Amino acid sequence: MSNKVIKVLSFDGGGVRALAGLIFLSKFEEQTGKKIFDEFDFFAGVSAGSMNAFGFACRGFSAVETENLWSEYFLKKIKTPENFWDKYSPIQMRPKYTNKGRVEVLEKIFPDMSLGDSLKPVLTLSYDVESRRPVILSSYNTPDFSLVDACSASSAAPIYFPTYQSEDNRWFIDGGVVTNNPTLVSLTEAQKYYKNQEIRVLSIGTGINTRKIPGKKSSQWGGLGWLRHDIMGIMLETQIEHRIAKDLLLDKYLRINSPLGKVNRRLDDDSDVNITRIKELGYKWWNEFGSNLIDFLS
């Protein structure tokens, strides 16, 4: 049995807010001269976090190169509107965006690549709507599944994007409906992949919405009322996975996350003001958790 400590890097979903974790990791690379790709053995990500995980594991990108996947050009391309009138209608009858722009962006990043082409073990999650079951897509169990399909399937967020049809004619929605924090999934999968070896997990969130929901008013809300007051955010809550992972792994676990502050809770706000706030959140994380990460990896 090898004495090597296996290090797992897990990314939450959270739309454009997934950029904050990359800012944090870029500061690590800048300060230490080390590459995240070299520091970790196993990668996982769900929804928007899947693109981060694939950037590291499949392309061997640096944190700055992975950060560039969230460039203004790519974000505008991803946000191809489904219908001009729906975009400005107060009642959204169809998905907000098409899959077309997102797929085109992913084809540029991961051209003709399958999960089996990954340089290191990696996984993502999605949900098969026809079989009504969660699906783990990984480099070791589903190596022939295309990277474009895997990332598109994991990030097909209901309301924002249409259900995604993969090359094998399955229909998927966002893996965040299974769990928006893949820490526990990545832990159990890494334990199966690296049998009887010590495992440490770095888990990176996308900010916590701490805005109070008025209890008395909420008792009168129907579907529209709850949609207006972040029912999706509540359903994608990640705190229970964090608490369980902390209890299980103790000092072999490090979580990077904090309240959103001024960052917009909405997953698709790529305005200059909000992107700046997301980056500031990443820098704040470095100031708060940077030394912890260096110790954790030493």
Side-chain angles (χ1 to χ4, degrees):
M1 182 181 73
S2 170
N3 292 323
K4 175 180 169 63
V5 175
I6 301 302
K7 298 169 186 173
V8 176
L9 177 53
S10 173
F11 291 99
D12 285 15
V16 69
R17 303 197 315 259
L19 173 61
L22 298 175
I23 298 296
F24 171 77
L25 295 175
S26 294
K27 290 296 293 182
F28 170 82
E29 291 189 342
E30 176 188 317
Q31 294 292 321
T32 66
K34 299 176 180 178
K35 285 189 66 176
I36 291 299
F37 175 79
D38 297 328
E39 290 294 306
F40 289 89
D41 307 286
F42 191 104
F43 295 82
V46 67
S47 192
S50 67
M51 190 156 72
N52 292 352
F54 291 157
F56 287 115
C58 303
R59 295 300 308 270
F61 285 159
S62 67
V64 170
E65 288 172 320
T66 310
E67 181 185 327
N68 290 336
L69 304 183
W70 297 94
S71 67
E72 181 180 359
Y73 170 78
F74 280 156
L75 285 171
K76 297 302 182 190
K77 190 81 172 172
I78 289 169
K79 292 174 58 179
T80 303
E82 174 70 24
N83 179 282
F84 175 83
W85 298 111
D86 278 352
K87 183 177 180 181
Y88 297 101
S89 170
I91 301 175
Q92 188 182 324
M93 301 299 293
R94 288 180 285 267
K96 197 170 183 180
Y97 309 115
T98 69
N99 283 324
K100 182 175 182 291
R102 186 164 51 117
V103 168
E104 289 177 359
V105 166
L106 292 171
E107 286 174 341
K108 287 180 181 293
I109 301 168
F110 308 112
D112 300 317
M113 294 182 71
S114 297
L115 279 167
D117 296 322
S118 183
L119 302 172
K120 289 189 175 181
V122 65
L123 70 80
T124 191
L125 297 166
S126 190
Y127 186 84
D128 185 323
V129 297
E130 293 192 329
S131 68
R132 292 296 294 266
R133 65 183 182 89
V135 177
I136 297 175
L137 302 167
S138 68
S139 56
Y140 45 90
N141 281 335
T142 56
D144 295 330
F145 207 87
S146 88
L147 272 171
V148 170
D149 274 1
C151 199
S152 297
S154 185
S155 59
I159 301 175
Y160 290 95
F161 292 102
T163 307
Y164 183 78
Q165 185 180 22
S166 61
E167 289 178 356
D168 60 359
N169 293 317
R170 287 189 284 171
W171 293 88
F172 294 99
I173 59 172
D174 197 298
V177 304
V178 181
T179 174
N180 204 41
N181 176 350
T183 296
L184 297 176
V185 175
S186 64
L187 171 62
T188 56
E189 288 292 299
Q191 286 173 333
K192 289 186 287 185
Y193 191 89
Y194 300 100
K195 293 179 174 60
N196 302 316
Q197 289 185 247
E198 180 183 328
I199 292 175
R200 296 186 181 187
V201 180
L202 171 64
S203 174
I204 300 184
T206 56
I208 306 165
N209 183 9
T210 57
R211 187 182 68 174
K212 181 181 177 180
I213 294 175
K216 187 172 183 179
K217 287 184 178 179
S218 70
S219 68
Q220 303 299 314
W221 294 339
L224 185 59
W226 277 108
L227 282 172
R228 291 177 57 199
H229 291 86
D230 200 29
I231 186 60
M232 287 292 290
I234 296 170
M235 293 172 68
L236 298 177
E237 176 60 56
T238 62
Q239 292 302 297
I240 190 63
E241 291 91 345
H242 165 54
R243 289 169 58 187
I244 294 170
K246 189 175 181 181
D247 287 343
L248 286 173
L249 290 169
L250 303 176
D251 62 347
K252 297 179 178 63
Y253 169 73
L254 178 63
R255 175 73 167 166
I256 310 300
N257 210 11
S258 73
L260 284 170
K262 294 181 179 180
V263 174
N264 191 340
R265 65 178 172 83
R266 300 190 184 280
L267 306 180
D268 61 341
D269 184 357
D270 62 345
S271 64
D272 290 344
V273 169
N274 199 51
I275 292 296
T276 297
R277 289 173 176 172
I278 291 169
K279 290 181 177 180
E280 288 172 349
L281 183 64
Y283 294 131
K284 174 179 176 289
W285 287 351
W286 177 255
N287 291 333
E288 186 174 346
F289 301 112
S291 60
N292 300 87
L293 177 59
I294 291 171
D295 291 344
F296 184 75
L297 293 176
S298 64

